[in-house]
Amino acid sequence: MDSADSTAGAASDGAVPQGVVPTGAVLADAVLAGRSTDARLPPGDFGVVLATLRARRGWSVRQLARRANVSEGQICNLESGVRNPTPAVAAACDAAFGTGGRLAELAGPGRRGARVEEVVETGPMVAGYERVLRELRDIGRSTGPRFVTASLKSITRILTDAAPHSVGDQRAGTWLLASRFAEYTGWMAQEAGNPAEALRWTSLAVRWGTEGGDESVAAYALVRKAFIAQHRGDGAAAIRYADQAAGHPAADPVIRAHAARRAAQGHARRGDARACGEALERFMGHTAEAVGGRASSSGPSWGPSWGPSWGPRVENGNPRLLEASCLLALSRFEPAADLFAAELRRRPAVPADSNSQARFAVRHATALVGVGRLDEACHLVEATLPVIKRIDSATVRTELGGFADLARTRRAGPGQLALIDASAALALGLS
């Protein structure tokens, strides 16, 4: 979750301009405010458009079914393409979304109905849901898990229901996209503070990735375990899982880069600067290899366009911010504070990536506390607290708890103490 595309062009009153399909921060703000984002229907057939609109509203299958007064099974069948909408159902969905008859018009040409036990054409569905996943990621970066989890789970169910009834390359592509949805659902579970659920979804991602012919997700699952261990403060386990991921037979340069990143932070937490530095060098080397490989390959023709690659795009990460984070973990506060300040000044603000911005802001503030610049640190955290409350990320709250713990050891004034107490309460989920 290290980057996202920014979105511009919203009207001055915050409404979505006519003819523009919103993404990123604009879309997330619209979802939060409860405004319509359906100025123009997204591309795709009726089922894909229905799922996209539902994802944009943050509705579960059950919520849409209740609003349209149809069964949940009907919604699932429509979104997966197993059934075509009747005029009455299309009109009910139109009314639920307020799309002014456009959904009914889209349903008009229709497609030949497919019974569940027959072969299902999943190619268009995979292409459509790949776009939906990108939109859900944009929303997740800006708003946290609560507005995307229901959609992720319901679309995953649709994909796994359809995959056994597809054949050949389409079958593989459907399983791989289901695996991708499961992997991101696991990440959202982790962000919601439920590591057991995160591991369960990650295990499903491994199973479905294997169904689609990709073993590399099993290697990436070890990276996810390393991250969970890191956030519960178990540096030894984080290093162990990271090393297992790097040595996995199916690990590619992207996964090895992610593994090196987790290893570097694990070694830093254990106070081993030499091993941390070696892991940072591996991260740089694997990242260069991954970027070169992506530049020279168009990916497989049979699957979704993102290809068999897992985790955030490593080229979008900032190695200097990773180095600063490691310096902070090593309690080398002054160089960490200087490096955070320099890189965050250079790093362009990406409104849709609130999670990363909040995380690095809190780390910067913690480094400032370490060098005795408590007033600056408190101002930085005070400006970031509204974002932290909005995204409600367990991983960011862990960072905030570290800030509060260190700040409590410093001499603070009444206003600073109030901010530290508020930060500690938010870190514990008490506010």
Short mmCIF file of all heavy atoms in Angstrom, two decimals, residues 50 56 114 122 141 245 258 262 275 321 324 326 357 378 397 400 415:
data_model
loop_
_atom_site.label_atom_id
_atom_site.label_comp_id
_atom_site.label_asym_id
_atom_site.label_seq_id
_atom_site.Cartn_x
_atom_site.Cartn_y
_atom_site.Cartn_z
N LEU A 50 -22.99 -3.64 -12.67
CA LEU A 50 -23.69 -3.74 -11.39
C LEU A 50 -22.71 -3.88 -10.24
O LEU A 50 -22.81 -3.20 -9.21
CB LEU A 50 -24.65 -4.93 -11.43
CG LEU A 50 -25.66 -5.05 -10.28
CD1 LEU A 50 -26.71 -3.94 -10.39
CD2 LEU A 50 -26.33 -6.42 -10.29
N ARG A 56 -18.49 0.89 -5.68
CA ARG A 56 -18.30 2.33 -5.46
C ARG A 56 -19.13 2.84 -4.30
O ARG A 56 -18.72 3.78 -3.60
CB ARG A 56 -18.68 3.09 -6.73
CG ARG A 56 -17.68 2.92 -7.87
CD ARG A 56 -18.15 3.64 -9.12
NE ARG A 56 -17.18 3.50 -10.18
CZ ARG A 56 -17.35 4.00 -11.40
NH1 ARG A 56 -18.46 4.66 -11.68
NH2 ARG A 56 -16.43 3.84 -12.32
N ALA A 114 -26.95 -18.57 -19.01
CA ALA A 114 -26.12 -19.75 -18.78
C ALA A 114 -26.54 -20.40 -17.48
O ALA A 114 -26.58 -19.74 -16.46
CB ALA A 114 -24.64 -19.37 -18.73
N THR A 122 -16.22 -16.41 -18.79
CA THR A 122 -15.75 -15.54 -17.71
C THR A 122 -14.75 -14.48 -18.17
O THR A 122 -14.34 -13.66 -17.35
CB THR A 122 -15.09 -16.38 -16.59
OG1 THR A 122 -14.00 -17.12 -17.14
CG2 THR A 122 -16.10 -17.32 -15.95
N ARG A 141 -7.04 2.58 0.15
CA ARG A 141 -5.90 3.41 0.55
C ARG A 141 -6.35 4.69 1.25
O ARG A 141 -5.63 5.23 2.09
CB ARG A 141 -5.07 3.79 -0.68
CG ARG A 141 -4.30 2.64 -1.31
CD ARG A 141 -3.43 3.15 -2.46
NE ARG A 141 -2.75 2.07 -3.13
CZ ARG A 141 -3.11 1.57 -4.30
NH1 ARG A 141 -4.17 2.05 -4.92
NH2 ARG A 141 -2.43 0.59 -4.85
N ALA A 245 10.48 -16.79 2.54
CA ALA A 245 9.89 -16.25 1.31
C ALA A 245 10.95 -16.06 0.24
O ALA A 245 10.76 -16.42 -0.93
CB ALA A 245 9.18 -14.93 1.59
N HIS A 258 10.18 -7.71 -1.57
CA HIS A 258 9.31 -7.56 -0.41
C HIS A 258 9.89 -8.29 0.80
O HIS A 258 9.84 -7.79 1.93
CB HIS A 258 7.92 -8.13 -0.71
CG HIS A 258 7.10 -7.27 -1.63
ND1 HIS A 258 6.89 -5.93 -1.42
CD2 HIS A 258 6.43 -7.58 -2.78
CE1 HIS A 258 6.12 -5.44 -2.38
NE2 HIS A 258 5.83 -6.42 -3.22
N ARG A 262 11.07 -6.73 4.57
CA ARG A 262 10.64 -7.20 5.89
C ARG A 262 11.84 -7.66 6.72
O ARG A 262 11.88 -7.44 7.94
CB ARG A 262 9.63 -8.34 5.73
CG ARG A 262 8.35 -7.93 5.03
CD ARG A 262 7.66 -6.82 5.78
NE ARG A 262 6.68 -6.14 4.92
CZ ARG A 262 6.33 -4.89 5.06
NH1 ARG A 262 6.87 -4.15 6.02
NH2 ARG A 262 5.44 -4.33 4.25
N ALA A 275 23.19 -6.59 9.61
CA ALA A 275 22.25 -7.44 8.87
C ALA A 275 21.16 -6.60 8.22
O ALA A 275 20.70 -6.91 7.11
CB ALA A 275 21.63 -8.48 9.81
N LEU A 321 12.87 6.13 2.39
CA LEU A 321 11.93 6.06 3.51
C LEU A 321 12.05 4.74 4.25
O LEU A 321 11.90 4.68 5.47
CB LEU A 321 10.50 6.27 3.03
CG LEU A 321 10.13 7.70 2.62
CD1 LEU A 321 8.72 7.75 2.06
CD2 LEU A 321 10.26 8.67 3.80
N ALA A 324 15.07 5.18 6.38
CA ALA A 324 14.74 6.02 7.54
C ALA A 324 13.97 5.22 8.58
O ALA A 324 14.20 5.36 9.79
CB ALA A 324 13.93 7.23 7.09
N CYS A 326 14.18 2.03 9.11
CA CYS A 326 15.13 1.13 9.77
C CYS A 326 15.99 1.89 10.78
O CYS A 326 16.27 1.39 11.89
CB CYS A 326 16.01 0.44 8.73
SG CYS A 326 15.14 -0.79 7.73
N GLN A 357 0.88 8.08 3.84
CA GLN A 357 1.21 9.41 4.36
C GLN A 357 1.10 9.45 5.88
O GLN A 357 1.97 10.00 6.55
CB GLN A 357 0.29 10.44 3.72
CG GLN A 357 0.56 10.65 2.24
CD GLN A 357 -0.38 11.67 1.62
OE1 GLN A 357 -0.92 12.53 2.31
NE2 GLN A 357 -0.59 11.57 0.33
N CYS A 378 4.65 16.84 18.09
CA CYS A 378 3.24 16.93 18.45
C CYS A 378 2.43 17.67 17.39
O CYS A 378 1.30 17.29 17.09
CB CYS A 378 3.09 17.60 19.81
SG CYS A 378 3.60 16.55 21.21
N ARG A 397 -2.18 2.50 13.59
CA ARG A 397 -2.36 2.68 15.03
C ARG A 397 -1.19 2.09 15.82
O ARG A 397 -0.80 2.61 16.87
CB ARG A 397 -3.68 2.06 15.48
CG ARG A 397 -4.92 2.80 15.01
CD ARG A 397 -6.14 2.47 15.87
NE ARG A 397 -6.37 1.04 15.94
CZ ARG A 397 -7.13 0.35 15.10
NH1 ARG A 397 -7.73 1.00 14.10
NH2 ARG A 397 -7.32 -0.94 15.24
N LEU A 400 1.36 4.68 15.80
CA LEU A 400 0.97 5.77 16.70
C LEU A 400 1.23 5.38 18.16
O LEU A 400 1.64 6.22 18.97
CB LEU A 400 -0.50 6.10 16.50
CG LEU A 400 -1.04 7.33 17.23
CD1 LEU A 400 -0.33 8.59 16.76
CD2 LEU A 400 -2.55 7.46 17.00
N GLY A 415 -0.63 20.79 27.08
CA GLY A 415 -1.18 20.55 25.76
C GLY A 415 -0.56 19.35 25.08
O GLY A 415 -1.26 18.55 24.43
#
